[in-house]
Amino acid sequence: MKTYILKRIGSAIPLLFCISFLCFVFINLIPSDPAEVALRVRQTPVITEQAIEEVREELGLNAPYLVRYGRWLMNCLSFNFGVSYTNPSRTVLGEISRCLPATVQLAMVSLIFVILLSLPIGFLCAVFQNSWFDKIVRAIVFMTTAMPAYWIGLLLIWFVSIYLDLLPTSGSGSMKHIILPAITVSLTYISTYIRLIRNNMLENMKEDYVLYANVRGLKQTNILIRHILKNSLHTCIVAIGMSIPQLISGTIVVENVFAWPGLGKLCIESIFNRDYPVIQTYVLLIGTLFVVFNLIFDIISYVTDPRLRGDK
Amino acid sequence: MSEKKILEIKNLTVDLRNTNKQTQKIIHDISFELYEGECLGILGESGSGKSMSVKAILGLLNSNFIINGKAMFFGVDLLSQTNEKLRQYRGNKITMILQNPMTCFDPLYTMEKQIKETWMSHIRLSKHEMKDKAMDMLARMQLKDPEEILKKYPHQLSGGMLQRITIGLALSMEPDLIVADEPTTAIDAITQYEIMKEFEEIKKRKTAMIFISHDLSVVSQIADRIIVMNQGKIAEQGDLNHIMLHAKDSYTKQLVSSKRMVLEKYNAILQKGYKDDYTR
Amino acid sequence: MWRRLYKNKMAMVMIGIILMTTIIGIFAPFFAPHDSYKINILDKYAPYSLEYPLGTDNLGRCILSRMIYGIRPTLFLSLLTMIGTISIGTVMGLLAGYFTGIIDEIIMRMVDVMLSFPSQIMVFAVVALLGVDVRNVILANVFIKWAWYARMIRTNVMKYKDTNYVLYSRCIGNKESFILFRHLLPSISSEMAVLATLDIGWAILNISTLSFLGLGVQAPTPEWGAMLSEAKNVLTTNPNQMIAPGVAIVILVAAFNFLGDALRDALDPKEKNL
């Protein structure tokens, strides 16, 4: 078991390097000269060739590529992500940590919605396969996969906030503000997970161990919950775990519809303002989250599976 | 052998609903009976409907199958029972042993939990009694180190061991009827021999048994009476001698003759082999 | 496969919807009742009428005409995306699967990295890097999607490479390129058709989302996502404006998704998926 975990961590490290290298290359690919940008950031009145050269030397831009990558990586590891281009008084770290809590909050509430709804609905769909309930849910699931999230958001704003005047249209602050964005974010994921759980349970129902459980005369509820549901959740464990970073990155669109002051809104604003350090850090953050969560849930699924755990 | 019928199947038919609302006949109107203490062998190729018919009686088929007919078990029609009633019969009064013991248990639970949950579904026992019963059962099935086995997960045990456990479970409730559905097919030859010994033991206990197999030699070893099924119909029934010598149905004849041919060939090769060895 | 698909009535309806949309899009000037750019402030927020069947927007432009012209960027840009994705994916997949060895190794490592990244973030990163423009959106989409096709095609090539007819073809001395195009491509094309059909729906959603955020098709150009972005600004005064583009996207994407599922069922009737 230990060897597996070590191996798994070992395979995640090169991936993290790849991601960080991509992010580093990314900022070096932009058409503007970083030295020039740095001068602008310092609000130097006249930018001369000589000044640029000096800054180059100062920032170590003349060093070889890999050396610069190494330095940058060390900076990143000590959470020094540089300064925002558009607003030099702000560090990137400050910007990100200002926006992160709102996004995490939104993602967590959405995750709760996703789990609370998709689990029982997927379960019921599998148990009553091809009943009217299953058919209706499948039709809704099919429709939601074809619906753009932002349009669902607009419809919700119009219906709930404007027509019924129940909840605020946008912004953040109270618990009321979070409901609509969270519903919008979770809708797409709910349909994905309903599908996942339903199909997985149906697959499991065809297994021999279910037949034998019936042969032994176990109670239906017992077979469904203790055996089929547990087994299918077990195979879905990684997918379910991965929904956390997916939700965090998946809030971009919804945050912009509801003016939710999180990372997604920061990201889009930065794209418009060409604030590259912020975008770079955002991509690095999300990429790292994906790798780390994948690692964690792979290990969890490994450890919880007696077949793989290999205790003899 | 007493003449008391414990199971009587009358005009059993099974149809499968297709996707486009047509039905497909899987079992055509079969009838047979089982007497107390008797071992009935059902013989047929795969897809002949032999295990389907038993599953139909026990309510193990899903709602895509339409089942008609009567299955009287001690005077109670199993087919008209509710699912819950049938469940109480299964694993208690009627137990079953399946083909592939390796896939029969839930991989996520230890053997102890799975053995216990079987009994908990039918009887009330204290934790202690449960444990003793389990240890006792494993010991009776000649499994070494029962304590260890209980702690293990299914994948850590061999097919032979798992099949012994399923047999042990099937016997543990002292059922009125045991159904064995190809219990030796998925097991290697040596274990197969040992498992068949277990079945002979069961036979000595005079528990009524239905033994399903595609293998004439296995069936002939254990069954008092044989039903030959082909394409969802009963092609022949009678005792072993009757089937071997006086088969009327063409399918049965073919089965018997192919078995004879294999035997003859086997003998021929053996003899030839000896000769070859000597001539070399 | 085609005969089985032909029997599926719903699938035929979906093909009908897609074909009709395409035709209307191609002959947009012929079908559109008005000029899609013509501003008529006096007539703004007009309700549904004979003159303006879907009403007018905040600038008094005919929504129906904008919808019809909007087919062009919405549908054709996603088709373009898919063509790009499939061609790069196919080339990479064939290279990796057919020549194996070091080429395979390099391509597959690239694919692994691409697939481990969340696709949505990649799109934003690429758009951010290249600047806000439609072309860049398409490039970004191709950039993140090709890896899926490369992997799928590689696996299939590996599978088909050792089938008897390919081995036979090589035995009788056919050129490698001939084998590639005559045998391998046709045998994987059906699976590719399924994947591509499903992904067109995805591309439509993605492009319209980016346009909605203002990163794709820019404002005055009629595009469904961009139209919704405009509708968002006048949500309180004229909620009608957001109905038509949204419904259109849902119908078109659903049609492609349904068709993709139907194709898959027709391809492999055993695998009945949701």
Side-chain angles (χ1 to χ4, degrees):
Chain A
M1 181 160 90
K2 262 185 195 152
T3 48
Y4 173 80
I5 294 175
L6 285 179
K7 232 190 229 167
R8 192 62 190 72
I9 293 173
S11 74
I13 290 171
L15 205 55
L16 282 176
F17 271 108
C18 275
I19 288 169
S20 66
F21 191 70
L22 271 181
C23 290
F24 176 72
V25 170
F26 162 81
I27 203 147
N28 283 284
L29 277 178
I30 51 173
S32 47
D33 183 349
E36 202 182 316
V37 174
L39 283 174
R40 290 236 171 82
V41 165
R42 291 172 193 174
Q43 293 172 320
T44 319
V46 193
I47 299 170
T48 59
E49 282 291 322
Q50 199 196 349
I52 289 179
E53 198 49 47
E54 270 167 26
V55 175
R56 264 179 190 284
E57 200 59 47
E58 183 194 322
L59 294 177
L61 290 175
N62 288 332
Y65 216 64
L66 278 176
V67 175
R68 277 162 57 206
Y69 169 63
R71 277 190 206 143
W72 174 80
L73 196 62
M74 291 317 288
N75 275 336
C76 284
L77 288 176
S78 53
F79 296 107
N80 176 10
F81 300 108
V83 179
S84 161
Y85 278 4
T86 40
N87 197 345
S89 60
R90 289 179 174 175
T91 62
V92 175
L93 180 65
E95 288 290 271
I96 298 271
S97 47
R98 178 173 60 87
C99 296
L100 189 63
T103 293
V104 170
Q105 190 192 13
L106 179 58
M108 284 306 124
V109 176
S110 311
L111 184 68
I112 293 169
F113 284 174
V114 172
I115 292 173
L116 283 185
L117 284 172
S118 56
L119 213 73
I121 295 178
F123 179 79
L124 289 176
C125 279
V127 176
F128 303 106
Q129 190 198 357
N130 293 331
S131 65
W132 58 267
F133 175 78
D134 182 36
K135 281 179 182 151
I136 290 173
V137 170
R138 269 158 71 191
I140 294 172
V141 163
F142 183 78
M143 286 319 281
T144 43
T145 50
M147 272 194 220
Y150 58 91
W151 191 57
I152 298 177
L154 289 185
L155 288 178
L156 282 175
I157 292 181
W158 174 75
F159 185 69
V160 181
S161 305
I162 297 173
Y163 189 74
L164 298 176
D165 199 16
L166 286 176
L167 297 165
T169 54
S170 62
S172 70
S174 67
M175 278 316 285
K176 271 187 176 173
H177 284 92
I178 208 168
I179 297 174
L180 286 187
I183 291 176
T184 316
V185 172
S186 50
L187 261 180
T188 349
Y189 293 91
I190 288 174
S191 46
T192 319
Y193 288 109
I194 288 178
R195 235 161 123 148
L196 186 72
I197 289 167
R198 175 185 178 272
N199 291 351
N200 218 306
M201 281 187 64
L202 289 180
E203 278 304 306
N204 265 295
M205 283 178 188
K206 292 184 205 139
E207 294 285 325
D208 264 2
Y209 76 84
V210 176
L211 174 66
Y212 188 58
N214 271 309
V215 163
R216 288 184 289 155
L218 302 192
K219 293 198 178 93
Q220 271 308 306
T221 45
N222 192 356
I223 297 177
L224 282 171
I225 294 169
R226 273 186 48 141
H227 294 284
I228 299 176
L229 186 64
K230 187 171 173 184
N231 269 281
S232 36
L233 281 184
H234 193 265
T235 34
C236 303
I237 232 174
V238 180
I240 291 168
M242 286 310 284
S243 67
I244 297 170
Q246 265 165 10
L247 281 169
I248 290 177
S249 71
T251 54
I252 288 191
V253 178
V254 175
E255 282 184 10
N256 280 282
V257 174
F258 289 92
W260 185 261
L263 281 180
K265 201 152 174 295
L266 177 73
C267 172
I268 299 293
E269 277 165 11
S270 308
I271 291 176
F272 280 120
N273 298 333
R274 298 180 173 262
D275 197 347
Y276 294 112
V278 176
I279 304 168
Q280 182 192 33
T281 315
Y282 180 71
V283 174
L284 183 66
L285 175 75
I286 300 289
T288 313
L289 276 182
F290 265 78
V291 175
V292 169
F293 271 89
N294 202 337
L295 175 71
I296 294 173
F297 280 91
D298 260 3
I299 291 176
I300 290 180
S301 104
Y302 186 86
V303 171
T304 50
D305 190 335
R307 279 161 299 183
L308 299 175
R309 202 160 51 203
D311 35 23
K312 290 238 158 94
Chain B
M1 197 162 295
S2 73
E3 288 299 295
K4 196 184 166 205
K5 282 180 195 171
I6 65 167
L7 181 69
E8 187 177 12
I9 310 292
K10 278 186 207 154
N11 309 95
L12 178 76
T13 60
V14 177
D15 300 289
L16 173 63
R17 268 193 209 105
N18 272 348
T19 36
N20 31 0
K21 282 176 190 160
Q22 292 162 338
T23 55
Q24 186 192 340
K25 258 202 166 23
I26 293 181
I27 292 181
H28 309 253
D29 192 16
I30 61 170
S31 305
F32 62 87
E33 55 278 316
L34 181 71
Y35 296 95
E36 201 173 28
E38 184 191 32
C39 176
L40 177 72
I42 301 183
L43 188 66
E45 294 175 312
S46 53
S48 60
K50 53 191 177 356
S51 73
M52 189 74 80
S53 54
V54 181
K55 282 180 187 162
I57 300 164
L58 293 178
L60 292 169
L61 299 178
N62 63 30
S63 55
N64 285 333
F65 294 92
I66 310 160
I67 303 161
N68 279 308
K70 273 202 164 100
M72 308 302 286
F73 180 68
F74 285 104
V76 180
D77 184 11
L78 292 175
L79 296 182
S80 61
Q81 297 300 310
T82 58
N83 283 337
E84 175 57 21
K85 262 265 149 30
L86 266 178
R87 178 192 75 72
Q88 287 167 5
Y89 275 103
R90 284 195 305 261
N92 190 5
K93 293 274 164 280
I94 306 175
T95 58
M96 197 166 166
I97 295 151
L98 297 181
Q99 178 174 1
N100 193 348
M102 299 293 273
T103 55
C104 271
F105 290 96
D106 186 332
L108 298 181
Y109 291 95
T110 59
M111 293 316 298
E112 181 169 7
K113 283 197 180 133
Q114 304 199 42
I115 291 171
K116 282 183 178 172
E117 74 178 349
T118 314
W119 293 330
M120 277 194 294
S121 316
H122 300 292
I123 43 174
R124 278 174 180 278
L125 279 178
S126 74
K127 259 192 178 171
H128 227 76
E129 290 169 313
M130 201 79 92
K131 177 91 184 215
D132 288 344
K133 194 174 160 73
M135 299 282 285
D136 189 47
M137 178 199 100
L138 292 179
R140 220 180 320 154
M141 294 315 294
Q142 290 157 22
L143 287 159
K144 283 177 200 127
D145 223 348
E147 189 87 35
E148 274 303 297
I149 289 178
L150 286 181
K151 279 186 205 142
K152 294 215 159 156
Y153 287 95
H155 73 279
Q156 292 167 318
L157 300 172
S158 72
M161 286 161 109
L162 289 168
Q163 195 65 303
R164 273 164 203 278
I165 297 175
T166 61
I167 295 171
L169 266 176
L171 293 175
S172 66
M173 297 300 290
E174 314 217 314
D176 296 319
L177 169 61
I178 295 178
V179 180
D181 186 359
E182 307 248 9
T184 56
T185 311
I187 297 173
D188 64 273
I190 296 168
T191 331
Q192 203 171 344
Y193 172 76
E194 288 170 5
I195 297 289
M196 280 316 288
K197 281 237 156 116
E198 289 310 331
F199 277 103
E200 276 161 26
E201 283 300 310
I202 300 174
K203 215 184 147 184
K204 280 183 199 149
R205 294 167 53 144
K206 289 284 169 204
T207 310
M209 180 156 58
I210 296 179
F211 195 99
I212 302 170
S213 181
H214 67 275
D215 189 343
L216 180 58
S217 56
V218 174
V219 173
S220 58
Q221 201 178 331
I222 191 132
D224 301 316
R225 207 153 52 84
I226 294 176
I227 289 176
V228 182
M229 280 190 75
N230 185 25
Q231 291 173 348
K233 289 180 194 138
I234 291 182
E236 195 91 41
Q237 55 181 319
D239 61 23
L240 185 60
N241 269 330
H242 176 85
I243 299 275
M244 290 296 278
L245 301 174
H246 311 286
K248 285 190 213 93
D249 180 77
S250 60
Y251 171 72
T252 322
K253 275 183 190 161
Q254 199 189 322
L255 251 177
V256 171
S257 68
S258 67
K259 156 122 177 150
R260 280 224 183 93
M261 260 160 63
V262 170
L263 262 178
E264 276 158 22
K265 188 117 186 179
Y266 176 72
N267 289 333
I269 287 172
L270 272 185
Q271 276 165 12
K272 192 164 168 265
Y274 282 133
K275 270 182 206 157
D276 282 354
D277 279 347
Y278 283 122
T279 47
R280 251 179 236 152
Chain C
M1 169 180 170
W2 296 113
R3 202 179 305 144
R4 232 178 282 138
L5 187 68
Y6 191 70
K7 269 191 194 161
N8 189 336
K9 283 200 188 90
M10 276 303 278
M12 295 320 286
V13 172
M14 296 303 156
I15 291 180
I17 290 175
I18 293 166
L19 278 181
M20 217 168 71
T21 320
T22 319
I23 291 168
I24 294 176
I26 293 172
F27 301 106
F30 186 73
F31 287 99
H34 296 273
D35 179 357
S36 62
Y37 289 102
K38 198 179 146 212
I39 294 171
N40 187 355
I41 294 293
L42 290 178
D43 262 345
K44 75 173 177 179
Y45 304 142
Y48 303 143
S49 64
L50 269 181
E51 165 106 51
Y52 301 110
L54 291 176
T56 59
D57 66 4
N58 49 328
L59 295 174
R61 293 172 293 194
C62 168
I63 291 181
L64 180 66
S65 311
R66 288 180 67 73
M67 289 295 302
I68 290 173
Y69 276 95
I71 295 171
R72 290 178 169 183
T74 311
L75 186 59
F76 299 148
L77 286 183
S78 32
L79 286 177
L80 198 64
T81 309
M82 288 325 295
I83 292 170
T85 312
I86 291 173
S87 20
I88 294 182
T90 311
V91 171
M92 293 300 222
L94 284 179
L95 282 178
Y98 206 77
F99 296 109
T100 57
I102 186 88
I103 304 176
D104 179 34
E105 200 52 36
I106 294 172
I107 294 177
M108 287 327 283
R109 286 294 82 74
M110 271 162 69
V111 167
D112 281 349
V113 174
M114 295 302 303
L115 293 184
S116 69
F117 243 117
S119 55
Q120 184 131 30
I121 301 301
M122 279 301 239
V123 175
F124 287 116
V126 174
V127 172
L129 177 67
L130 299 174
V132 173
D133 188 46
V134 197
R135 269 169 301 175
N136 298 339
V137 167
I138 293 172
L139 273 180
N141 279 331
V142 173
F143 181 65
I144 58 157
K145 207 67 188 179
W146 70 268
W148 293 93
Y149 285 81
R151 191 171 66 171
M152 188 274 287
I153 286 163
R154 174 181 174 270
T155 336
N156 273 301
V157 169
M158 292 282 196
K159 207 163 67 194
Y160 283 108
K161 206 163 60 168
D162 293 328
T163 52
N164 284 332
Y165 64 86
V166 173
L167 290 178
Y168 175 71
S169 186
R170 195 171 300 149
C171 276
I172 58 174
N174 281 326
K175 269 197 226 145
E176 293 290 300
S177 60
F178 178 83
I179 296 173
L180 212 61
F181 288 105
R182 276 308 283 274
H183 296 301
L184 288 176
L185 272 185
S187 53
I188 54 181
S189 60
S190 51
E191 193 172 337
M192 216 153 72
V194 175
L195 207 56
T197 316
L198 287 170
D199 274 342
I200 291 178
W202 168 86
I204 293 173
L205 279 181
N206 219 341
I207 291 174
S208 80
T209 304
L210 287 163
S211 301
F212 174 79
L213 292 172
L215 300 174
V217 180
Q218 294 301 311
T221 319
E223 197 274 346
W224 296 349
M227 287 171 72
L228 281 170
S229 177
E230 287 173 284
K232 181 196 164 206
N233 298 328
V234 292
L235 194 58
T236 16
T237 36
N238 190 25
N240 275 347
Q241 200 172 323
M242 70 172 182
I243 302 293
V247 171
I249 293 176
V250 174
I251 291 176
L252 197 55
V253 174
F256 275 111
N257 285 354
F258 195 95
L259 189 62
D261 285 346
L263 272 174
R264 179 169 45 203
D265 288 350
L267 199 66
D268 185 4
K270 275 173 291 175
E271 284 284 320
K272 272 262 173 196
N273 261 319
L274 184 64

